[in-house]
Every structure is written in structure tokens, then in C-alpha cells.
Amino acid sequence: MDAKSKERFVHSVFESIAPKYDMMNDVLSFRRHKAWRKFTMRKMNVGSGDTAIDLCCGTGDWTVAIAQASGTGKVVGLDFSRNMLDHGRAKVDKLGLGGRIDLVQGNAMALPYEEDTFDYATIGFGLRNVPDIRQVLREMRRVVKPGGKVVCLELSKPTRQPLKAVYSFYFNRFLPVLGKLVAGRYEQYKWLPESLVAFPGRKELASIFRETGLQDVEDYGLTGGIAALHIGTKGSNGA
């Protein structure tokens, strides 16, 4: 699948699963995604008034968490799926955060913001779906301020047995069936394990962070390597 075909296919997947996206995240990860995000927020240590852009924000859970931690800072949630953003907007309005969160339809490959704009650029469970990982990381690095953080929380690949075998069976065989039974979507949830096949492992992704100019790269394996957190810093001189 070439980059354009992948982009169109992924867009159609997320447009179709938006109504049950939050519920399926809880079901498929056994609610572990919430613990992973809490760990990430502790490592980010968002300060009062900090600004952020959350790429591939989906229905906005992480966007909301960042805005709540910041207190007064402006936070942008960007996604290419209008249906996802519509569900996110309802969530933001219910929490009374509409004045501090902007939900924007856009492309993570070409962010519509000037360089040195945000304190943080984040992407949660979306990097494996983009056409060009390095281009997205370069864009994230571009729009954060010198000293700002680029943060990626993503599914990964356990390397130790027996978890590796159990995870492979669950993710490749059981997960798509569960997607069909609970959400009525088989092909869309079959895409999730397929999207991880060519995605770099934890240490390889850390190397890619460095290749794109990020410094002081940290990487953490979560729940035995099922997920991984990567944090890189833009040099204080913008380098």
C-alpha cells in the first residue's frame, strides 16, 4: 500500500469507528491505555500555562488531560477525521473547556502552525498510521519551542516470551473478531495489528527520534512492551 492509499484507507477506518472508538479502546486494551496515559502525563510534567498540540487526537482524551494539567494554556487537538473531532468536541463542551481547546481538522504531515509555537507536541496511538513517521516527527519538532518536548505514546512489540506469543495471538487473531462482535467492524480492527507489522520497535523508534534532531531521548516500555513512550527535546538553540 503506497502512502496515498494508506492515508485514504486509514481515514476511512477512523471515520467509521468514531462512534464506538472510546468504548473499544477500553475493551481492547483492558483499560490499560488510561494507565499508560497517566504515566505519560507524569513524565511530561506539564506546567501551569503550558501550550500543546495533540496530533491524531481522535476523540480528545489526551487533549483534555493536557488542558486540565495546564490550567490556562491553549491546547490544540488535530485530527484528519471529522467524525472523531465531532465526538471530541461534544466531550470538550461537556467539560467546559471549549475556550482553551481548539479542535482542528488537519494533516499531521504538514502542521498549519509556525515553528516554535508550542511547549509540547504529542501523538497518541497515531504515529503507526501516518504515511511517513520521520516527516511527522520533524513537523512536531518544528512547531515546539526550543526546549519543548515531542512525545509519542504508541503500541509496541513485546520481545520476551511467553508474553510475545500471547500478545501476538490476541492482537492478530482475537482482536479483529472482538471488533466485529462489539463494534460491528471486522476489517477496521483487522487494520490495527496490520499497522504494527512494519512499525519500528521501541529502540528503533528512539533512534528515529534522534535522527530527526531531537535530543535527550527517553524511551519506556509499558506493560511488558505492549506499549511504549518516547520523549525527545528540541535543543535550546532550536537545533
Side-chain angles (χ1 to χ4, degrees):
M1 186 183 298
D2 62 28
K4 281 295 182 184
S5 297
K6 178 179 179 178
E7 187 173 6
R8 287 193 295 269
F9 177 74
V10 172
H11 182 266
S12 70
V13 166
F14 285 94
E15 285 283 270
S16 66
I17 67 175
K20 295 188 176 181
Y21 179 77
D22 290 341
M23 178 192 70
M24 287 301 294
N25 278 348
D26 285 347
V27 170
L28 297 177
S29 74
F30 302 98
R31 296 180 67 86
R32 292 305 301 163
H33 71 103
K34 296 180 182 294
W36 297 336
R37 190 165 59 246
K38 286 181 180 179
F39 175 84
T40 299
M41 290 297 293
R42 288 198 298 272
K43 290 296 181 182
M44 288 171 63
N45 193 28
V46 176
S48 177
D50 283 349
T51 58
I53 181 169
D54 183 25
L55 277 61
C56 304
C57 68
T59 58
D61 279 352
W62 197 1
T63 317
V64 165
I66 295 169
Q68 290 173 330
S70 168
T72 58
K74 197 74 172 181
V75 178
V76 173
L78 182 140
D79 201 283
F80 66 170
S81 168
R82 174 54 59 188
N83 285 347
M84 285 287 191
L85 291 172
D86 286 345
H87 283 80
R89 190 163 288 107
K91 188 180 300 181
V92 167
D93 290 344
K94 184 177 180 180
L95 292 169
L97 294 171
R100 291 199 295 108
I101 294 178
D102 286 338
L103 294 181
V104 177
Q105 188 171 20
N107 189 341
M109 300 272 288
L111 300 178
Y113 297 94
E114 296 182 358
E115 61 183 45
D116 304 340
T117 299
F118 302 98
D119 295 298
Y120 294 89
T122 63
I123 184 166
F125 308 108
L127 192 61
R128 72 186 186 281
N129 294 319
V130 303
D132 187 331
I133 293 170
R134 288 169 176 80
Q135 173 60 19
V136 170
L137 290 175
R138 284 192 292 266
E139 279 291 275
M140 294 173 76
R141 178 183 170 278
R142 180 182 66 80
V143 299
V144 295
K145 302 172 184 176
K149 306 288 186 180
V150 171
V151 184
C152 173
L153 177 60
E154 185 55 273
L155 295 176
S156 193
K157 306 170 185 178
T159 58
R160 295 186 178 181
Q161 299 291 5
L163 180 60
K164 181 179 179 181
V166 172
Y167 178 72
S168 178
F169 174 80
Y170 171 76
F171 207 51
N172 290 286
R173 301 295 183 88
F174 188 67
L175 184 148
V177 174
L178 193 60
K180 181 178 181 179
L181 291 175
V182 178
R185 295 286 189 273
Y186 178 82
E187 289 299 326
Q188 288 83 351
Y189 283 94
K190 185 172 178 286
W191 162 253
L192 292 181
E194 291 175 352
S195 70
L196 197 57
V197 170
F199 191 71
R202 173 183 153 195
K203 291 302 180 182
E204 185 183 354
L205 185 56
S207 295
I208 293 172
F209 263 58
R210 296 184 184 97
E211 287 174 20
T212 57
L214 292 163
Q215 302 176 5
D216 302 323
V217 176
E218 306 169 55
D219 64 275
Y220 304 89
L222 306 173
T223 315
I226 290 175
L229 167 64
H230 291 77
I231 302 175
T233 303
K234 184 173 180 175
S236 57
N237 61 355

